[in-house]
Amino acid sequence: MSNIPEHDIDADDEEQFAASTLIQAIENQLESDNPPAAKAVYNKLTLVGYERDDILEMMAHVLAVEIDAMLEADRPFDSQWYETALRALPELPPQD
C-alpha cells in the first residue's frame, strides 16, 4: 500500500496513464484486426509516410473522443462513428 496521499498524484501522471492505456487499446485492435478499419487505416497511414508512434497517437485520439462522447451522453460505444473517424485520419475529429 502506498503512503503517497492521493492528492499528491500529479495530473500529468494521470494523463500519461490514460494515453498509454488508449495506445494499448489501439495496439490490441490492430493485433486482433477488430475493427478491421483499425488495421486498414494503420496500413494507409504507414504507406503515406506516417511513423508508427504518430499513427497510434492519432488513432488513440479518435478513441478518446468517442469514449468522452459516450460517457457524456451516457450511451453505448458508436462503432460506426469510430470507424468513420478512423478512416478520416490524418484529419482529427474535433474534441469538445
Side-chain angles (χ1 to χ4, degrees):
M1 193 159 173
S2 175
N3 292 332
I4 300 172
E6 192 172 314
H7 61 80
D8 285 351
I9 295 175
D10 193 43
D12 287 343
D13 290 342
E14 287 182 23
E15 284 180 27
Q16 187 76 27
F17 176 76
S20 67
T21 301
L22 287 167
I23 291 199
Q24 183 61 54
I26 297 300
E27 288 177 333
N28 291 342
Q29 289 178 2
L30 292 170
E31 208 171 286
S32 67
D33 200 19
N34 186 19
K39 189 171 274 186
V41 168
Y42 178 86
N43 290 339
K44 174 188 89 168
L45 293 173
T46 299
L47 285 172
V48 296
Y50 284 91
E51 297 293 324
R52 177 177 172 78
D53 289 345
D54 293 334
I55 297 169
L56 293 176
E57 283 183 27
M58 285 188 282
M59 293 174 76
H61 174 82
V62 171
L63 182 57
V65 169
E66 173 52 21
I67 290 171
D68 286 347
M70 180 183 87
L71 294 173
E72 178 125 352
D74 192 24
R75 62 161 173 78
F77 189 84
D78 185 342
S79 55
Q80 185 173 353
W81 180 92
Y82 177 63
E83 289 189 32
T84 300
L86 281 178
R87 291 184 188 281
L89 289 174
E91 183 179 321
L92 294 174
Q95 194 165 12
D96 293 335

Coordinates of all heavy atoms in Angstrom, one line a residue:
M1 N 0.8 -1.2 0.0 CA 0.0 0.0 0.0 C 0.9 1.2 0.0 O 1.9 1.3 0.7 CB -0.9 0.0 1.2 CG -2.0 0.9 1.2 SD -3.3 0.4 2.3 CE -4.3 1.8 2.2
S2 N 0.5 2.2 -0.8 CA 1.3 3.4 -0.9 C 1.1 4.4 0.2 O -0.1 4.5 0.6 CB 1.0 4.0 -2.3 OG 1.7 5.3 -2.4
N3 N 2.1 5.1 0.6 CA 2.0 6.1 1.6 C 1.8 7.5 1.0 O 1.8 8.5 1.7 CB 3.2 6.2 2.5 CG 3.3 4.9 3.3 OD1 2.3 4.3 3.7 ND2 4.5 4.5 3.7
I4 N 1.7 7.6 -0.4 CA 1.5 8.9 -1.1 C 0.1 9.3 -1.0 O -0.8 8.5 -1.4 CB 2.0 8.7 -2.5 CG1 3.4 8.3 -2.6 CG2 1.7 10.1 -3.3 CD1 3.9 8.0 -4.0
P5 N -0.2 10.4 -0.4 CA -1.6 10.9 -0.4 C -2.1 11.0 -1.8 O -1.4 11.4 -2.7 CB -1.5 12.3 0.3 CG -0.2 12.3 1.0 CD 0.7 11.4 0.2
E6 N -3.4 10.7 -2.0 CA -4.0 10.7 -3.3 C -3.9 12.1 -4.0 O -3.7 12.2 -5.2 CB -5.5 10.3 -3.2 CG -6.1 10.0 -4.6 CD -7.4 9.4 -4.5 OE1 -7.6 8.5 -3.7 OE2 -8.3 9.9 -5.2
H7 N -4.0 13.2 -3.2 CA -4.0 14.5 -3.8 C -2.6 14.8 -4.3 O -2.4 15.8 -5.1 CB -4.5 15.6 -2.8 CG -3.7 15.6 -1.6 ND1 -2.5 16.3 -1.5 CD2 -3.9 15.1 -0.3 CE1 -2.0 16.2 -0.3 NE2 -2.8 15.5 0.4
D8 N -1.6 14.1 -4.0 CA -0.2 14.3 -4.5 C 0.1 13.7 -5.9 O 1.1 13.9 -6.4 CB 0.8 13.8 -3.5 CG 0.9 14.7 -2.3 OD1 0.3 15.8 -2.3 OD2 1.6 14.3 -1.3
I9 N -0.8 12.9 -6.3 CA -0.7 12.3 -7.6 C -0.8 13.3 -8.7 O -1.8 14.1 -8.7 CB -1.7 11.1 -7.9 CG1 -1.4 10.0 -6.9 CG2 -1.5 10.6 -9.3 CD1 -2.4 8.9 -6.9
D10 N 0.2 13.5 -9.5 CA 0.3 14.5 -10.5 C -0.7 14.3 -11.6 O -0.9 13.2 -12.1 CB 1.7 14.6 -11.0 CG 2.0 15.8 -11.8 OD1 1.6 16.9 -11.4 OD2 2.6 15.7 -12.9
A11 N -1.4 15.3 -12.1 CA -2.3 15.2 -13.2 C -1.6 14.8 -14.4 O -2.2 14.0 -15.2 CB -3.0 16.6 -13.4
D12 N -0.4 15.1 -14.6 CA 0.4 14.7 -15.8 C 0.5 13.2 -15.8 O 0.5 12.5 -16.8 CB 1.8 15.3 -15.8 CG 1.7 16.8 -16.2 OD1 0.7 17.2 -16.8 OD2 2.7 17.5 -16.0
D13 N 0.7 12.6 -14.6 CA 0.8 11.1 -14.4 C -0.5 10.5 -14.9 O -0.5 9.4 -15.6 CB 1.1 10.7 -13.0 CG 2.6 11.1 -12.6 OD1 3.4 11.3 -13.5 OD2 2.8 11.1 -11.4
E14 N -1.6 11.0 -14.5 CA -2.9 10.5 -14.9 C -3.1 10.6 -16.4 O -3.6 9.6 -17.0 CB -4.1 11.2 -14.2 CG -4.1 10.9 -12.7 CD -5.3 11.6 -12.0 OE1 -6.3 12.0 -12.7 OE2 -5.2 11.7 -10.8
E15 N -2.7 11.7 -17.0 CA -2.8 11.9 -18.4 C -1.9 10.9 -19.2 O -2.3 10.3 -20.2 CB -2.5 13.3 -18.9 CG -3.6 14.3 -18.6 CD -3.2 15.7 -19.0 OE1 -2.4 15.9 -19.9 OE2 -3.7 16.7 -18.4
Q16 N -0.7 10.7 -18.6 CA 0.2 9.7 -19.2 C -0.4 8.3 -19.2 O -0.3 7.6 -20.1 CB 1.6 9.8 -18.4 CG 2.7 9.0 -19.1 CD 3.2 9.6 -20.3 OE1 3.2 10.9 -20.4 NE2 3.8 8.9 -21.2
F17 N -1.0 8.0 -18.0 CA -1.6 6.6 -17.9 C -2.7 6.5 -18.9 O -2.8 5.5 -19.5 CB -2.1 6.4 -16.4 CG -2.8 5.1 -16.3 CD1 -2.1 3.9 -16.2 CD2 -4.2 5.1 -16.2 CE1 -2.7 2.7 -16.0 CE2 -4.8 3.9 -16.0 CZ -4.1 2.7 -16.0
A18 N -3.6 7.5 -19.0 CA -4.7 7.4 -19.9 C -4.2 7.3 -21.3 O -4.7 6.5 -22.1 CB -5.6 8.7 -19.7
A19 N -3.2 8.1 -21.7 CA -2.7 8.0 -23.1 C -2.1 6.6 -23.4 O -2.3 6.0 -24.4 CB -1.6 9.1 -23.3
S20 N -1.3 6.1 -22.4 CA -0.7 4.7 -22.7 C -1.8 3.7 -22.7 O -1.7 2.7 -23.4 CB 0.4 4.4 -21.6 OG -0.2 4.3 -20.4
T21 N -2.9 3.8 -21.9 CA -4.0 2.9 -21.9 C -4.7 2.9 -23.3 O -5.0 1.9 -23.8 CB -5.0 3.2 -20.8 OG1 -4.3 3.1 -19.5 CG2 -6.1 2.2 -20.8
L22 N -4.9 4.1 -23.8 CA -5.6 4.2 -25.1 C -4.7 3.6 -26.2 O -5.2 3.0 -27.1 CB -5.9 5.7 -25.4 CG -7.0 6.3 -24.6 CD1 -7.0 7.9 -24.8 CD2 -8.3 5.8 -25.1
I23 N -3.4 3.9 -26.2 CA -2.5 3.3 -27.2 C -2.5 1.8 -27.1 O -2.5 1.1 -28.1 CB -1.1 4.0 -27.0 CG1 -1.2 5.4 -27.4 CG2 0.0 3.2 -27.8 CD1 0.0 6.2 -27.8
Q24 N -2.5 1.3 -25.9 CA -2.6 -0.2 -25.7 C -3.9 -0.7 -26.3 O -3.9 -1.8 -27.0 CB -2.5 -0.6 -24.2 CG -2.5 -2.1 -24.0 CD -1.3 -2.7 -24.7 OE1 -0.1 -2.4 -24.4 NE2 -1.5 -3.7 -25.5
A25 N -5.0 0.0 -26.2 CA -6.2 -0.4 -26.8 C -6.1 -0.4 -28.3 O -6.6 -1.4 -28.9 CB -7.4 0.5 -26.3
I26 N -5.5 0.6 -28.9 CA -5.3 0.6 -30.3 C -4.4 -0.6 -30.8 O -4.7 -1.2 -31.7 CB -4.7 2.0 -30.8 CG1 -5.6 3.1 -30.4 CG2 -4.3 1.9 -32.2 CD1 -7.0 3.1 -31.1
E27 N -3.4 -0.8 -30.0 CA -2.5 -1.9 -30.4 C -3.2 -3.3 -30.3 O -3.1 -4.1 -31.2 CB -1.2 -2.0 -29.5 CG -0.3 -0.8 -29.8 CD 0.9 -0.8 -28.9 OE1 0.8 -1.2 -27.8 OE2 2.0 -0.3 -29.4
N28 N -4.1 -3.4 -29.4 CA -5.0 -4.6 -29.3 C -5.9 -4.7 -30.5 O -6.1 -5.8 -31.0 CB -5.8 -4.6 -28.0 CG -4.9 -4.8 -26.7 OD1 -3.8 -5.2 -26.8 ND2 -5.5 -4.4 -25.6
Q29 N -6.5 -3.6 -30.9 CA -7.4 -3.6 -32.1 C -6.6 -4.0 -33.3 O -7.1 -4.8 -34.1 CB -8.0 -2.2 -32.3 CG -9.0 -1.8 -31.2 CD -9.6 -0.4 -31.5 OE1 -9.2 0.3 -32.4 NE2 -10.4 0.0 -30.6
L30 N -5.4 -3.5 -33.4 CA -4.5 -3.9 -34.6 C -4.2 -5.3 -34.6 O -4.3 -6.0 -35.6 CB -3.3 -3.0 -34.6 CG -3.5 -1.5 -34.9 CD1 -2.2 -0.8 -34.7 CD2 -4.0 -1.3 -36.3
E31 N -3.8 -5.8 -33.4 CA -3.5 -7.2 -33.3 C -4.6 -8.2 -33.6 O -4.5 -9.2 -34.2 CB -2.9 -7.5 -31.8 CG -1.9 -8.6 -31.7 CD -1.3 -8.6 -30.3 OE1 -0.5 -7.7 -30.0 OE2 -1.7 -9.5 -29.5
S32 N -5.8 -7.8 -33.1 CA -7.0 -8.7 -33.2 C -7.7 -8.4 -34.5 O -8.7 -9.1 -34.9 CB -7.9 -8.5 -32.1 OG -8.5 -7.2 -32.1
D33 N -7.3 -7.4 -35.3 CA -8.0 -7.0 -36.5 C -9.5 -6.7 -36.3 O -10.3 -7.0 -37.1 CB -7.8 -8.0 -37.6 CG -8.0 -7.5 -39.0 OD1 -8.0 -6.3 -39.2 OD2 -8.3 -8.3 -39.9
N34 N -9.7 -6.1 -35.1 CA -11.1 -5.7 -34.7 C -11.1 -4.4 -34.1 O -10.6 -4.2 -33.0 CB -11.6 -6.8 -33.8 CG -13.1 -6.6 -33.5 OD1 -13.8 -5.9 -34.2 ND2 -13.5 -7.2 -32.4
P35 N -11.7 -3.4 -34.7 CA -12.4 -3.5 -36.0 C -11.4 -3.5 -37.2 O -10.3 -3.0 -37.1 CB -13.2 -2.2 -36.0 CG -12.4 -1.2 -35.3 CD -11.8 -2.0 -34.2
P36 N -11.8 -4.1 -38.3 CA -10.9 -4.2 -39.4 C -10.4 -2.8 -39.9 O -9.3 -2.7 -40.5 CB -11.8 -4.9 -40.5 CG -12.8 -5.6 -39.7 CD -13.0 -4.8 -38.5
A37 N -11.3 -1.8 -39.7 CA -10.9 -0.4 -40.1 C -9.6 0.0 -39.4 O -8.8 0.8 -40.0 CB -12.0 0.6 -39.8
A38 N -9.3 -0.4 -38.2 CA -8.1 0.0 -37.5 C -6.9 -0.4 -38.3 O -6.0 0.4 -38.5 CB -8.1 -0.6 -36.1
K39 N -6.8 -1.6 -38.7 CA -5.6 -2.1 -39.4 C -5.6 -1.4 -40.8 O -4.5 -1.1 -41.3 CB -5.6 -3.6 -39.5 CG -4.3 -4.2 -40.1 CD -4.2 -5.6 -40.0 CE -3.7 -6.0 -38.7 NZ -3.4 -7.5 -38.6
A40 N -6.7 -1.3 -41.5 CA -6.7 -0.6 -42.8 C -6.2 0.8 -42.7 O -5.4 1.2 -43.5 CB -8.1 -0.7 -43.3
V41 N -6.6 1.5 -41.7 CA -6.2 2.9 -41.5 C -4.7 2.9 -41.1 O -3.9 3.8 -41.7 CB -7.0 3.6 -40.4 CG1 -6.4 4.9 -40.0 CG2 -8.5 3.8 -41.0
Y42 N -4.3 2.0 -40.3 CA -2.9 2.0 -39.9 C -2.0 1.7 -41.1 O -1.0 2.4 -41.4 CB -2.6 0.9 -38.9 CG -1.2 0.7 -38.5 CD1 -0.6 1.5 -37.5 CD2 -0.4 -0.2 -39.2 CE1 0.7 1.4 -37.2 CE2 1.0 -0.3 -38.8 CZ 1.5 0.5 -37.8 OH 2.9 0.4 -37.5
N43 N -2.4 0.8 -42.0 CA -1.7 0.5 -43.2 C -1.6 1.7 -44.1 O -0.6 2.0 -44.7 CB -2.2 -0.8 -43.9 CG -1.9 -2.0 -43.1 OD1 -1.0 -2.1 -42.3 ND2 -2.7 -3.0 -43.3
K44 N -2.8 2.3 -44.3 CA -2.9 3.5 -45.2 C -1.9 4.6 -44.7 O -1.2 5.2 -45.5 CB -4.3 4.0 -45.2 CG -4.5 5.3 -46.0 CD -5.9 5.9 -45.9 CE -5.9 6.8 -44.7 NZ -7.1 7.7 -44.6
L45 N -1.9 4.9 -43.4 CA -1.1 6.0 -42.9 C 0.4 5.6 -43.0 O 1.2 6.5 -43.2 CB -1.5 6.3 -41.5 CG -2.9 7.0 -41.4 CD1 -3.3 7.2 -39.9 CD2 -3.0 8.3 -42.1
T46 N 0.7 4.3 -42.8 CA 2.1 3.9 -43.0 C 2.5 4.1 -44.4 O 3.6 4.6 -44.6 CB 2.2 2.4 -42.6 OG1 1.8 2.2 -41.2 CG2 3.6 1.9 -42.7
L47 N 1.7 3.7 -45.4 CA 2.0 3.9 -46.8 C 2.3 5.3 -47.2 O 3.1 5.6 -48.1 CB 0.9 3.3 -47.7 CG 0.9 1.8 -47.7 CD1 -0.4 1.3 -48.5 CD2 2.1 1.2 -48.4
V48 N 1.6 6.3 -46.5 CA 1.8 7.7 -46.9 C 2.9 8.3 -46.1 O 3.1 9.5 -46.2 CB 0.5 8.5 -46.9 CG1 -0.5 8.0 -48.0 CG2 -0.2 8.5 -45.6
G49 N 3.6 7.5 -45.2 CA 4.8 8.0 -44.6 C 4.7 8.4 -43.1 O 5.7 8.9 -42.6
Y50 N 3.6 8.1 -42.5 CA 3.5 8.5 -41.0 C 4.3 7.4 -40.2 O 4.3 6.2 -40.6 CB 2.0 8.5 -40.6 CG 1.3 9.7 -41.0 CD1 0.6 9.8 -42.2 CD2 1.3 10.9 -40.2 CE1 0.0 11.0 -42.6 CE2 0.7 12.0 -40.6 CZ 0.0 12.1 -41.8 OH -0.6 13.2 -42.1
E51 N 4.8 7.9 -39.1 CA 5.6 7.0 -38.2 C 4.6 6.2 -37.3 O 3.5 6.8 -37.0 CB 6.5 7.8 -37.3 CG 7.6 8.5 -38.1 CD 8.6 7.5 -38.8 OE1 8.9 6.5 -38.2 OE2 9.1 7.8 -39.9
R52 N 5.0 5.0 -36.9 CA 4.1 4.2 -36.0 C 3.6 5.0 -34.8 O 2.4 4.9 -34.5 CB 4.8 2.9 -35.6 CG 4.0 2.1 -34.7 CD 4.8 0.8 -34.3 NE 4.1 0.1 -33.2 CZ 3.0 -0.7 -33.4 NH1 2.5 -0.8 -34.6 NH2 2.5 -1.3 -32.4
D53 N 4.4 5.6 -34.1 CA 4.0 6.4 -32.9 C 3.0 7.4 -33.2 O 2.0 7.6 -32.4 CB 5.2 7.0 -32.1 CG 6.1 5.9 -31.5 OD1 5.6 4.7 -31.3 OD2 7.2 6.3 -31.1
D54 N 3.2 8.1 -34.3 CA 2.2 9.2 -34.7 C 0.9 8.6 -35.1 O -0.2 9.1 -34.7 CB 2.8 10.0 -35.9 CG 4.0 10.8 -35.5 OD1 4.2 11.1 -34.3 OD2 4.8 11.1 -36.4
I55 N 0.9 7.5 -35.8 CA -0.3 6.8 -36.1 C -1.1 6.4 -34.9 O -2.3 6.6 -34.8 CB -0.1 5.6 -37.1 CG1 0.6 6.1 -38.4 CG2 -1.4 4.8 -37.3 CD1 1.1 4.9 -39.2
L56 N -0.4 5.7 -34.0 CA -1.0 5.2 -32.8 C -1.6 6.4 -32.0 O -2.7 6.3 -31.4 CB 0.0 4.5 -31.9 CG 0.5 3.1 -32.5 CD1 1.5 2.5 -31.6 CD2 -0.7 2.2 -32.7
E57 N -0.9 7.5 -31.9 CA -1.4 8.7 -31.2 C -2.7 9.2 -31.8 O -3.6 9.6 -31.2 CB -0.4 9.8 -31.1 CG 0.7 9.5 -30.0 CD 1.7 10.6 -29.9 OE1 1.4 11.8 -30.2 OE2 2.8 10.3 -29.5
M58 N -2.7 9.3 -33.2 CA -3.9 9.8 -33.9 C -5.1 8.9 -33.6 O -6.2 9.3 -33.4 CB -3.6 9.9 -35.4 CG -2.8 11.1 -35.8 SD -2.7 11.4 -37.5 CE -1.5 10.1 -38.0
M59 N -4.8 7.6 -33.7 CA -5.9 6.6 -33.5 C -6.4 6.7 -32.1 O -7.6 6.6 -31.8 CB -5.4 5.2 -33.9 CG -5.2 5.1 -35.4 SD -4.4 3.5 -35.9 CE -5.9 2.5 -35.8
A60 N -5.5 6.8 -31.1 CA -5.9 6.9 -29.7 C -6.7 8.2 -29.5 O -7.6 8.2 -28.7 CB -4.6 6.9 -28.9
H61 N -6.4 9.2 -30.2 CA -7.2 10.5 -30.1 C -8.6 10.2 -30.5 O -9.5 10.7 -29.8 CB -6.5 11.6 -30.9 CG -7.3 12.9 -31.0 ND1 -7.3 13.8 -30.0 CD2 -8.2 13.3 -31.9 CE1 -8.1 14.8 -30.2 NE2 -8.7 14.5 -31.4
V62 N -8.8 9.5 -31.6 CA -10.1 9.2 -32.1 C -10.9 8.4 -31.1 O -12.0 8.7 -30.8 CB -10.1 8.5 -33.5 CG1 -11.5 8.0 -33.9 CG2 -9.5 9.4 -34.6
L63 N -10.2 7.4 -30.5 CA -10.8 6.6 -29.5 C -11.2 7.4 -28.3 O -12.3 7.3 -27.7 CB -9.9 5.4 -29.1 CG -10.4 4.4 -28.1 CD1 -11.7 3.8 -28.5 CD2 -9.3 3.4 -27.8
A64 N -10.3 8.3 -27.9 CA -10.6 9.2 -26.7 C -11.8 10.1 -26.9 O -12.7 10.2 -26.0 CB -9.4 10.0 -26.4
V65 N -11.9 10.6 -28.1 CA -13.1 11.5 -28.5 C -14.4 10.7 -28.4 O -15.4 11.1 -27.8 CB -12.9 12.1 -29.9 CG1 -14.2 12.8 -30.3 CG2 -11.8 13.1 -29.9
E66 N -14.4 9.5 -28.9 CA -15.6 8.6 -28.8 C -15.9 8.2 -27.4 O -17.1 8.3 -27.0 CB -15.5 7.4 -29.7 CG -16.6 6.4 -29.6 CD -18.0 7.0 -29.7 OE1 -18.2 8.1 -30.3 OE2 -19.0 6.4 -29.3
I67 N -14.9 7.9 -26.6 CA -15.1 7.5 -25.2 C -15.7 8.7 -24.4 O -16.7 8.5 -23.7 CB -13.9 6.9 -24.6 CG1 -13.5 5.6 -25.2 CG2 -14.0 6.8 -23.1 CD1 -12.2 5.0 -24.8
D68 N -15.1 9.9 -24.7 CA -15.6 11.1 -24.0 C -17.1 11.3 -24.3 O -17.9 11.6 -23.5 CB -14.8 12.3 -24.3 CG -13.5 12.3 -23.7 OD1 -13.2 11.5 -22.7 OD2 -12.6 13.1 -24.1
A69 N -17.4 11.2 -25.6 CA -18.8 11.5 -26.1 C -19.7 10.4 -25.5 O -20.9 10.7 -25.1 CB -18.9 11.4 -27.6
M70 N -19.3 9.2 -25.5 CA -20.1 8.1 -25.0 C -20.4 8.3 -23.5 O -21.6 8.2 -23.1 CB -19.3 6.8 -25.1 CG -19.9 5.5 -24.6 SD -18.8 4.1 -24.9 CE -17.9 4.2 -23.3
L71 N -19.4 8.7 -22.7 CA -19.6 8.9 -21.3 C -20.5 10.2 -21.0 O -21.4 10.1 -20.2 CB -18.3 9.1 -20.6 CG -17.4 7.8 -20.6 CD1 -16.0 8.2 -20.0 CD2 -18.0 6.7 -19.8
E72 N -20.3 11.2 -21.8 CA -21.0 12.4 -21.7 C -22.5 12.2 -22.0 O -23.4 12.7 -21.3 CB -20.5 13.5 -22.6 CG -21.3 14.8 -22.6 CD -20.4 16.0 -22.2 OE1 -19.3 15.8 -21.9 OE2 -21.0 17.1 -22.3
A73 N -22.8 11.4 -23.0 CA -24.2 11.2 -23.4 C -24.8 10.0 -22.8 O -26.0 9.7 -23.0 CB -24.2 11.1 -25.0
D74 N -24.0 9.3 -22.0 CA -24.5 8.0 -21.3 C -25.1 7.1 -22.4 O -26.3 6.7 -22.3 CB -25.4 8.4 -20.2 CG -25.7 7.2 -19.3 OD1 -24.9 6.2 -19.3 OD2 -26.8 7.1 -18.7
R75 N -24.3 6.8 -23.4 CA -24.8 5.9 -24.5 C -23.7 4.9 -24.8 O -22.6 5.0 -24.4 CB -25.0 6.8 -25.7 CG -23.8 7.5 -26.2 CD -24.0 7.9 -27.7 NE -22.9 8.7 -28.2 CZ -21.7 8.3 -28.6 NH1 -21.4 7.0 -28.5 NH2 -20.8 9.1 -29.0
P76 N -24.1 3.8 -25.5 CA -23.1 2.8 -25.9 C -22.1 3.4 -26.9 O -22.3 4.4 -27.5 CB -23.9 1.7 -26.6 CG -25.4 2.1 -26.4 CD -25.4 3.5 -26.0
F77 N -21.0 2.7 -27.0 CA -19.9 3.0 -27.9 C -20.5 3.0 -29.4 O -21.2 2.0 -29.8 CB -18.8 2.0 -27.8 CG -17.5 2.3 -28.6 CD1 -16.6 3.2 -28.0 CD2 -17.3 1.8 -29.8 CE1 -15.4 3.5 -28.7 CE2 -16.2 2.1 -30.5 CZ -15.2 3.0 -30.0
D78 N -20.2 4.0 -30.1 CA -20.7 4.1 -31.5 C -19.6 3.7 -32.5 O -18.8 4.4 -32.9 CB -21.1 5.6 -31.8 CG -21.8 5.8 -33.1 OD1 -21.6 4.9 -34.0 OD2 -22.4 6.8 -33.4
S79 N -19.6 2.4 -32.8 CA -18.6 1.8 -33.6 C -18.6 2.3 -35.0 O -17.6 2.5 -35.7 CB -18.6 0.3 -33.6 OG -19.9 -0.2 -34.0
Q80 N -19.8 2.7 -35.5 CA -19.9 3.3 -36.9 C -19.2 4.6 -36.9 O -18.4 4.9 -37.8 CB -21.3 3.4 -37.3 CG -21.4 3.8 -38.7 CD -22.9 3.8 -39.2 OE1 -23.8 3.3 -38.6 NE2 -23.1 4.3 -40.4
W81 N -19.5 5.5 -35.9 CA -18.8 6.8 -35.9 C -17.3 6.6 -35.7 O -16.5 7.2 -36.4 CB -19.3 7.6 -34.7 CG -18.6 9.0 -34.7 CD1 -19.0 10.1 -35.2 CD2 -17.3 9.3 -34.0 NE1 -18.1 11.1 -35.0 CE2 -17.0 10.6 -34.3 CE3 -16.4 8.5 -33.3 CZ2 -15.9 11.2 -33.8 CZ3 -15.2 9.1 -32.8 CH2 -15.0 10.5 -33.1
Y82 N -16.9 5.7 -34.9 CA -15.5 5.4 -34.6 C -14.8 5.0 -35.9 O -13.7 5.5 -36.2 CB -15.3 4.3 -33.5 CG -13.9 3.9 -33.2 CD1 -13.0 4.8 -32.7 CD2 -13.5 2.6 -33.4 CE1 -11.7 4.5 -32.4 CE2 -12.2 2.2 -33.1 CZ -11.3 3.2 -32.6 OH -10.0 2.8 -32.3
E83 N -15.3 4.1 -36.6 CA -14.7 3.6 -37.8 C -14.6 4.7 -38.9 O -13.6 4.9 -39.6 CB -15.4 2.4 -38.4 CG -15.1 1.1 -37.5 CD -15.6 -0.2 -38.1 OE1 -15.6 -0.3 -39.4 OE2 -16.0 -1.0 -37.4
T84 N -15.7 5.5 -39.0 CA -15.7 6.6 -39.9 C -14.6 7.6 -39.6 O -13.9 8.1 -40.4 CB -17.1 7.3 -39.9 OG1 -18.1 6.3 -40.3 CG2 -17.1 8.5 -40.9
A85 N -14.5 7.9 -38.3 CA -13.5 8.9 -37.8 C -12.1 8.3 -38.0 O -11.2 9.1 -38.4 CB -13.7 9.2 -36.3
L86 N -11.9 7.0 -37.8 CA -10.6 6.4 -38.1 C -10.2 6.6 -39.6 O -9.1 7.0 -39.9 CB -10.6 4.9 -37.8 CG -10.4 4.5 -36.3 CD1 -10.5 3.0 -36.2 CD2 -9.1 5.1 -35.7
R87 N -11.2 6.3 -40.5 CA -10.9 6.4 -41.9 C -10.7 7.8 -42.4 O -10.0 8.0 -43.4 CB -12.1 5.8 -42.7 CG -12.2 4.3 -42.5 CD -13.3 3.7 -43.3 NE -13.5 2.3 -43.0 CZ -12.8 1.2 -43.4 NH1 -11.7 1.5 -44.2 NH2 -13.0 0.0 -43.1
A88 N -11.1 8.8 -41.6 CA -10.8 10.2 -41.9 C -9.4 10.7 -41.6 O -9.0 11.7 -42.0 CB -11.8 11.1 -41.3
L89 N -8.7 9.8 -40.8 CA -7.3 10.2 -40.4 C -6.5 10.4 -41.7 O -6.7 9.7 -42.7 CB -6.7 9.2 -39.5 CG -7.3 9.1 -38.1 CD1 -6.7 7.9 -37.3 CD2 -7.0 10.4 -37.3
P90 N -5.6 11.3 -41.7 CA -5.0 12.0 -40.6 C -5.8 13.2 -40.1 O -5.4 13.9 -39.2 CB -3.6 12.5 -41.1 CG -3.8 12.6 -42.6 CD -4.8 11.6 -43.0
E91 N -7.0 13.5 -40.7 CA -7.8 14.6 -40.2 C -8.4 14.1 -38.9 O -9.1 13.1 -38.8 CB -8.9 14.9 -41.2 CG -9.7 16.1 -40.7 CD -10.8 16.4 -41.7 OE1 -10.5 16.4 -43.0 OE2 -11.9 16.8 -41.3
L92 N -8.1 14.9 -37.8 CA -8.6 14.5 -36.5 C -10.0 15.1 -36.2 O -10.3 16.2 -36.7 CB -7.7 15.1 -35.4 CG -6.3 14.5 -35.3 CD1 -5.4 15.3 -34.3 CD2 -6.3 13.0 -35.0
P93 N -10.8 14.3 -35.5 CA -12.2 14.8 -35.2 C -12.0 15.9 -34.1 O -11.1 15.9 -33.3 CB -12.9 13.6 -34.6 CG -11.8 12.7 -34.1 CD -10.6 13.0 -35.0
P94 N -13.0 16.9 -34.1 CA -12.9 17.9 -33.1 C -13.2 17.3 -31.7 O -14.0 16.3 -31.6 CB -14.0 18.8 -33.5 CG -15.0 18.0 -34.3 CD -14.1 17.0 -35.0
Q95 N -12.5 17.8 -30.7 CA -12.8 17.3 -29.3 C -13.5 18.5 -28.6 O -13.0 19.6 -28.5 CB -11.4 17.0 -28.7 CG -11.6 16.2 -27.4 CD -10.3 15.6 -27.0 OE1 -9.2 15.9 -27.5 NE2 -10.3 14.7 -26.0
D96 N -14.6 18.1 -28.0 CA -15.4 19.1 -27.3 C -14.8 19.6 -26.0 O -14.1 18.9 -25.4 CB -16.8 18.6 -27.0 CG -17.6 18.4 -28.3 OD1 -17.3 19.1 -29.3 OD2 -18.5 17.6 -28.3

